[in-house]
Structures are given as structure tokens and as C-alpha cells.
Amino acid sequence: VDKLLESLKDDLDALQAKLDNLLRDFIITFDDSEIGILAGGTTSVGYMITGATEKTTVKALGQNGWSAKVTPDGTDKGTITVTAPDPLTEDEIIVLVYDGEFRTIMSSINFVTGVVTPSQTAVELDAEAGTVDITVTSNLNYKVSIPEEAKDWLSVVETKSTKTETITFAYTANEFTIR
């Protein structure tokens, strides 16, 4: 009888552990809710998992030309690197998160067509040194690059992250056109 009672207690403890696991939060969230991407472009999206354990696995699936690769950074966070097809197709990346025991949750990452629009595409500069402001509207993270041959007379004074912003360039005395 004692062995039977002990076995029943072990079974009850195992069931309680399974119930506790099923009742705990198990959620994936992404860094951005709306992500811009250009045709053929690649971007990374960070994720965090609430309720992750050492057994948790994350898979990302692309379709219709989209591809995705998961790079975990510990058990509860990481990045998903996504490459868009060229031409762009309307689709999403499906993300599956398995807790390693009982549950799989599904989420998706949706993208919008990337836009980078400068207020001007060419600027005439004065012969003396100064600054010029270019307003950029974008839904992408972007980097301002200055060609090597222009680095001795052109520099970026400040750059902000995304959306509508103004980039201030400083230049030395010279006559030229920025294109």
C-alpha cells in the first residue's frame, strides 16, 4: 500500500509540474512591430521570449522567396535575420517557438516596403565652408556613407535613427555638386 501511495504521489507531483508549466506565461515579442525592407534586402529583428527554458527552441520560416535565419543569444532572446525576395512579394515570416515539453506558439513578422526619401538629391554648395541640412524620410534603419574621395572635405555632423529627420553635413571651402 505504501508503494502504491508513493507512486500515486509521484504521479500527482508530475501532473502538478505539467500543469504549472502549462499555466506559466510563454510569449514571444519582437523589437519592432512594423519593419521596412527593400527588395532583395536583409534586416535583423530582435526577439525576447517570456517563460523560456534551456529546452526552448525558435524556428523561423520564410515562403514565396522570403528567407529567415534564427540566431539565439541565450535561452530567451536572439535575432532573426530576414532576406526579402526581389521583386518583393506580400508575405510574412512565420515564427514557431517550442517550449521543449508541451507547447508550441506561433507568431509572424510582417514587413512594409522600405522607403528612403531625401528632400534633395543634388545640392549646390557655396565656395566657403559651411553646413547643409538634408531631410530624410524613411521607415528603414539606414547608414550615411561618405565616399573615400570626399572624406577630406565632407563629414556628417549628426545623424538620428529613423523616420523623418535632418542630417547635417559639414563641408570645407570648394565648388562642387553633391549627387
Side-chain angles (χ1 to χ4, degrees):
V1 172
D2 286 339
K3 285 197 181 255
L4 181 60
L5 285 175
E6 188 175 318
S7 176
L8 286 173
K9 183 183 179 323
D10 289 345
D11 289 346
L12 270 173
D13 289 345
L15 283 172
Q16 184 64 51
K18 288 180 182 181
L19 181 60
D20 291 345
N21 191 27
L22 286 171
L23 293 176
R24 73 177 163 78
D25 285 342
F26 189 55
I27 302 164
I28 187 167
T29 55
F30 302 105
D31 288 348
D32 298 308
S33 59
E34 187 175 271
I35 303 156
I37 195 165
L38 297 172
T42 299
T43 191
S44 292
V45 180
Y47 68 84
M48 294 211 47
I49 302 169
T50 302
T53 68
E54 309 80 47
K55 297 179 182 178
T56 301
T57 58
V58 179
K59 301 286 182 189
L61 310 168
Q63 51 196 359
N64 295 327
W66 290 81
S67 67
K69 179 183 178 213
V70 176
T71 305
D73 182 16
T75 59
D76 64 346
K77 63 184 174 182
T79 58
I80 300 172
T81 303
V82 177
T83 302
D86 188 4
L88 279 176
T89 59
E90 283 192 35
D91 227 315
E92 61 192 358
I93 300 298
I94 302 297
V95 180
L96 302 171
V97 185
Y98 175 55
D99 72 355
E101 295 183 34
F102 308 104
R103 294 187 283 182
T104 299
I105 56 174
M106 183 185 88
S107 190
S108 63
I109 304 172
N110 297 296
F111 294 87
V112 295
T113 301
V115 176
V116 178
T117 308
S119 59
Q120 300 152 282
T121 56
V123 178
E124 296 280 336
L125 301 175
D126 297 329
E128 43 305 321
T131 62
V132 62
D133 293 337
I134 307 282
T135 301
V136 177
T137 302
S138 179
N139 61 354
L140 298 172
N141 290 324
Y142 63 89
K143 178 181 173 187
V144 176
S145 296
I146 296 175
E148 282 299 320
E149 62 273 10
K151 287 186 177 182
D152 60 337
W153 58 267
L154 183 65
S155 62
V156 176
V157 174
E158 62 183 62
T159 301
K160 298 175 186 149
S161 57
T162 58
K163 305 302 177 209
T164 299
E165 57 196 37
T166 300
I167 301 170
T168 302
F169 292 91
Y171 59 94
T172 58
N174 209 338
E175 284 191 40
F176 47 82
T177 301
I178 299 174
R179 293 192 189 269

